[in-house]
Amino acid sequence: MNNQSSRDLLERLIGFPTVSRDSNLELIYFIRDYLESYGVSSELFLNEERTKANLFATIGPDVEGGVVLSGHTDVVPVEGQAWTVEPFRMSESDGRLYGRGAADMKGFIACTLAAVPVFLLRSLRVPVHLAFSYDEEVGCLGVRSMLAELEKRPNKPRLCLIGEPTELKPVLGHKGKLAMRCQVKGAACHSAYAPYGVNAIEYAAKLIGRLGELGEELAKPENHDERFDPPFSTIQTGVIRGGRALNIVPAECEFDFEVRALPGFDANQVAVQLEAYASTELVPRMQAVKAESGIQLKPLSAYPGLATSPNSEAARVLSHLCGSTDFGTVAFGTEGGLFDAAGIPTVVCGPGSMDQGHKPDEFVTLEQLESCDAMMVRLGDYLSL
């Protein structure tokens, strides 16, 4: 078959509207068929509903070592954003390729697929693995089933390259994340008799205030790691729901909060401290008015941070591929911490900028795709006999 360019492949990939809430199977089947056309077989790891799948494929010998090229296939929604171009049909202008996922992160997947014939022409001494996942944008959920299977296998890769958009700058670290939901159950009554009810919104406000205090503690200079921006772990409340009418004391309120944790900081400490405050300070006061009142915390999602040593083999390989030892970190999370926890040292480097990610008129430049294509050629050469 005629080899396809990364630009042409990106056009195909953007055309699949793989928003996290929807299926990614059409895109996955496209990739499977594309690889099959080159004689490369794939494994699919389906979710329980069989509506989404991860894809894993290997090019080269079935031996220990090798490099995983990892990317997520899902994208964030476009509703409520002021797009001036069709988000799921790629358009080109002034060297920019526009479309949802162009930067985050179908550009990298396109470059990886375009490099398949490059890898096949090399006499690889160790394999190149392709790992494409679902539901990264909603908590790095999909990749876990694939990693659980890979951990059982005898031949482990020696490196994972996550192709999130870093403008092809070498990145060795990012923060982890814990997302939680707090549900406050109060007791309703007429607002004229407010002291006889338990106002769930007011107690939720106390809990949110406590989270603010915990965040201030984390922001103290002694907790800083200057490799990151901001240089400390953060806490923020992003969603709150409660109340039915102004003249009714609200019986329910819930809010969602997240912790963006520096590597080495256990984000669960925040949940433990909030739960302790709730159980010792708030719940007794609530239940003194109404016994069935209470506060409950539920985890929504979590993934670990990443902190690969600049002196590691993974960092040396990345510096060779990028031509730079100016290692950095990123503020956003990736699946890298999960690969690293599975015993696969991980780095991050990909085309495009997260300045464009999640925004209307998202784009990646042709120059960045071409540079990523060149990086793939260097990878093939590096892994060859």
Side-chain angles (χ1 to χ4, degrees):
M1 65 175 294
N2 293 327
N3 295 342
Q4 297 186 55
S5 69
S6 55
R7 182 227 176 268
D8 292 341
L9 286 162
L10 178 58
E11 185 170 16
R12 293 296 305 274
L13 296 175
I14 287 174
F16 296 104
T18 51
V19 177
S20 302
R21 62 174 179 255
D22 300 322
S23 174
N24 75 333
L25 289 182
E26 287 191 16
L27 180 147
I28 288 292
Y29 294 156
F30 166 76
I31 294 176
R32 180 196 61 189
D33 294 345
Y34 172 87
L35 293 174
E36 196 171 87
S37 72
Y38 286 102
V40 177
S41 59
S42 305
E43 297 175 77
L44 302 188
F45 299 87
L46 289 151
N47 65 350
E48 290 184 5
E49 298 79 15
R50 305 185 71 81
T51 58
K52 302 179 183 181
N54 304 305
L55 181 146
F56 187 80
T58 298
I59 302 170
D62 183 17
V63 297
E64 182 83 9
V67 173
V68 179
L69 300 175
S70 173
H72 64 81
T73 62
D74 61 316
V75 297
V76 297
V78 299
E79 289 85 1
Q81 295 187 335
W83 284 75
T84 64
V85 296
E86 169 58 47
F88 295 111
R89 186 174 63 196
M90 193 181 81
S91 55
E92 182 175 350
S93 177
D94 297 326
R96 294 177 175 182
L97 304 175
Y98 291 89
R100 174 57 88 218
D104 184 19
M105 57 180 298
K106 291 180 177 179
F108 175 79
I109 296 176
C111 292
T112 300
L113 295 177
V116 167
V118 173
F119 298 141
L120 289 170
L121 287 172
R122 302 296 191 274
S123 296
L124 298 177
R125 53 189 166 78
V126 291
V128 173
H129 306 284
L130 312 183
F132 303 135
S133 63
Y134 65 88
D135 282 2
E136 187 271 351
E137 296 287 7
V138 289
C140 300
L141 302 181
V143 73
R144 297 168 197 254
S145 62
M146 181 163 54
L147 284 174
E149 177 59 33
L150 296 182
E151 285 188 84
K152 300 174 187 176
R153 300 183 178 180
N155 294 330
K156 295 286 193 301
R158 77 165 188 243
L159 168 66
C160 175
L161 172 61
I162 304 283
E164 291 278 5
T166 67
E167 297 179 286
L168 293 170
K169 297 173 183 176
V171 165
L172 300 182
H174 64 72
K175 294 179 180 180
K177 178 181 173 181
L178 172 68
M180 301 284 295
R181 175 165 294 162
C182 181
Q183 296 174 318
V184 182
K185 181 182 179 182
C189 70
H190 195 292
S191 61
Y193 302 97
Y196 302 132
V198 178
N199 191 312
I201 290 178
E202 291 182 1
Y203 278 97
K206 296 179 190 297
L207 291 160
I208 293 169
R210 178 59 180 152
L211 285 172
E213 294 171 357
L214 295 174
E216 290 172 2
E217 288 293 317
L218 294 177
K220 289 183 176 178
E222 59 266 29
N223 296 320
H224 284 200
D225 183 335
E226 299 300 334
R227 295 175 299 171
F228 292 86
D229 179 22
F232 47 86
S233 299
T234 60
I235 305 170
Q236 77 102 18
T237 300
V239 177
I240 187 167
R241 295 171 289 269
R244 297 180 183 276
L246 185 57
N247 60 353
I248 302 173
V249 171
E252 299 93 16
C253 186
E254 67 178 24
F255 62 90
D256 300 345
F257 68 93
E258 68 171 20
V259 184
R260 297 278 179 165
L262 291 170
F265 175 70
D266 182 6
N268 286 298
Q269 291 182 32
V270 173
V272 169
Q273 292 181 69
L274 188 67
E275 198 157 30
Y277 170 70
S279 61
T280 59
E281 298 290 331
L282 303 184
V283 172
R285 289 154 55 184
M286 297 166 67
Q287 293 184 343
V289 179
K290 211 69 170 179
E292 62 266 29
S293 300
I295 296 169
Q296 187 175 24
L297 291 177
K298 293 183 177 181
L300 297 176
S301 64
Y303 56 76
L306 178 69
T308 300
S309 169
N311 300 315
S312 64
E313 180 191 14
R316 289 194 295 274
V317 173
L318 181 61
S319 68
H320 172 77
L321 297 179
C322 294
S324 172
T325 57
D326 186 17
F327 300 119
T329 65
V330 289
F332 56 85
T334 80
E335 295 170 334
L338 293 169
F339 276 93
D340 195 65
I344 305 173
T346 301
V347 294
V348 184
C349 182
S353 170
M354 197 56 86
D355 287 345
Q356 278 74 55
H358 298 202
K359 293 181 180 179
D361 293 351
E362 178 181 350
F363 70 87
V364 67
T365 66
L366 276 168
E367 181 182 14
Q368 282 280 294
L369 285 190
E370 291 165 359
S371 296
C372 188
D373 290 337
M375 184 177 74
M376 293 296 176
V377 172
R378 288 194 293 274
L379 175 62
D381 292 341
Y382 181 81
L383 299 179
S384 297
L385 294 169

